[in-house]
Amino acid sequence: MSSDQEAFSCVVLISGNGSNLQAIIDAGFASDIRAVISNKADAYGLVRAQAANIPTAILSHKDFGSRELYDAALAKLISNYNPQLIILAGFMRILSHAFVKQFAGKIINIHPSLLPKYPGLNTHARVLSAKDSHHGVSVHFVTEALDGGPLIAQTSLNISPQDTVHTLQERVHTLEHKIYPQVLKLFKEKRIQLIDSQVFIDNKAIS
Ligand code: GRF
């Protein structure tokens, strides 16, 4: 089989609950996931993966002396599975230059804000204190810029006066659980391309 005809394959990286992983599994991608890898042994997402008969691996960052050493081991582990795509789904680590370079154009992330607004943590609280009218979720390619790589898809919601950090967290999660499987479907159907930092869907450049 040429690489064009190769069946879709991915590895999912997690650190915690794994509700996005669950949404991906529920959308029918379990057989495409070659492994779920966590940097935390107690990540509930590992239980979700095992329940779906997906191989799991734990690689604790605590066992390595530096980010570079950890990322080199992570890269080696991932390479054993030879995935077309590396899906970050609540993987709470910043990836090193070498790692991002090695897998350039093959790593995607989901982030709970309308990037480029609010990269980093605590997005819901920051949106509320800025009194924004909208919030949402972004899926993007991973580059060295924290939450700053080319955007693939976004969905937004209207913030109501009653919203709290908790309600926004729930509402954003609901959006995440829809958009991530939708984006994966596009990857599986080979409808997404990244050329010179520009994302194309169905051969159309997206802004
Ligand atoms: C999600 O909000 C995602 O946007 C962020 O981390 C969270 C992971 O949640 N990157 P879960 O582990 O998938 O439930």
Side-chain angles (χ1 to χ4, degrees):
M1 250 195 232
S2 78
S3 64
D4 255 16
Q5 295 165 320
E6 234 173 68
F8 178 66
S9 62
C10 58
V11 160
V12 182
L13 305 191
I14 61 165
S15 298
N17 182 29
S19 69
N20 279 285
L21 168 67
Q22 189 67 59
I24 292 166
I25 291 170
D26 293 345
F29 292 96
S31 60
D32 303 313
I33 305 174
R34 292 196 172 161
V36 170
I37 300 172
S38 174
N39 65 315
K40 295 201 172 165
D42 62 353
Y44 185 63
L46 292 169
V47 177
R48 299 179 189 271
Q50 282 151 11
N53 292 317
I54 299 167
T56 57
I58 298 159
L59 191 68
S60 173
H61 54 282
K62 292 186 181 153
D63 294 339
F64 296 83
S66 70
R67 183 176 304 285
E68 284 66 31
L69 286 173
Y70 177 78
D71 282 5
L74 182 63
K76 204 168 165 210
L77 178 60
I78 291 171
S79 296
N80 290 338
Y81 296 104
N82 194 25
Q84 290 172 358
L85 195 65
I86 299 166
I87 300 168
L88 308 186
F91 186 63
M92 302 303 285
R93 287 188 56 80
I94 292 172
L95 294 164
S96 61
H97 169 76
F99 185 95
V100 172
K101 197 171 160 206
Q102 180 173 346
F103 298 107
K106 291 177 77 173
I107 317 170
I108 62 170
N109 182 43
I110 189 158
H111 182 77
S113 80
L114 293 172
L115 291 169
K117 288 184 109 174
Y118 310 113
L121 299 174
N122 304 320
T123 58
H124 311 309
R126 289 156 70 200
V127 159
L128 286 174
S129 63
K131 301 198 187 315
D132 286 2
S133 58
H134 289 79
H135 189 29
V137 49
S138 306
V139 178
H140 63 95
F141 281 102
V142 173
T143 61
E144 274 185 79
L146 176 69
D147 300 320
L151 286 168
I152 301 167
Q154 287 186 314
T155 333
S156 66
L157 55 77
N158 294 322
I159 299 176
S160 84
Q162 285 76 37
D163 269 316
T164 62
V165 167
H166 181 70
T167 62
L168 284 184
Q169 196 172 20
E170 284 196 342
R171 294 181 68 201
V172 165
H173 258 127
T174 303
L175 296 182
E176 289 185 341
H177 299 161
K178 282 192 192 135
I179 197 172
Y180 227 5
Q182 284 168 356
V183 167
L184 290 193
K185 185 169 183 288
L186 293 174
F187 272 102
K188 188 166 176 166
E189 293 170 352
K190 303 199 186 311
R191 292 163 62 189
I192 299 185
Q193 285 174 293
L194 177 67
I195 302 168
D196 294 338
S197 300
Q198 171 67 61
V199 177
F200 294 81
I201 298 182
D202 293 335
N203 300 315
K204 282 192 206 111
I206 62 161
S207 52

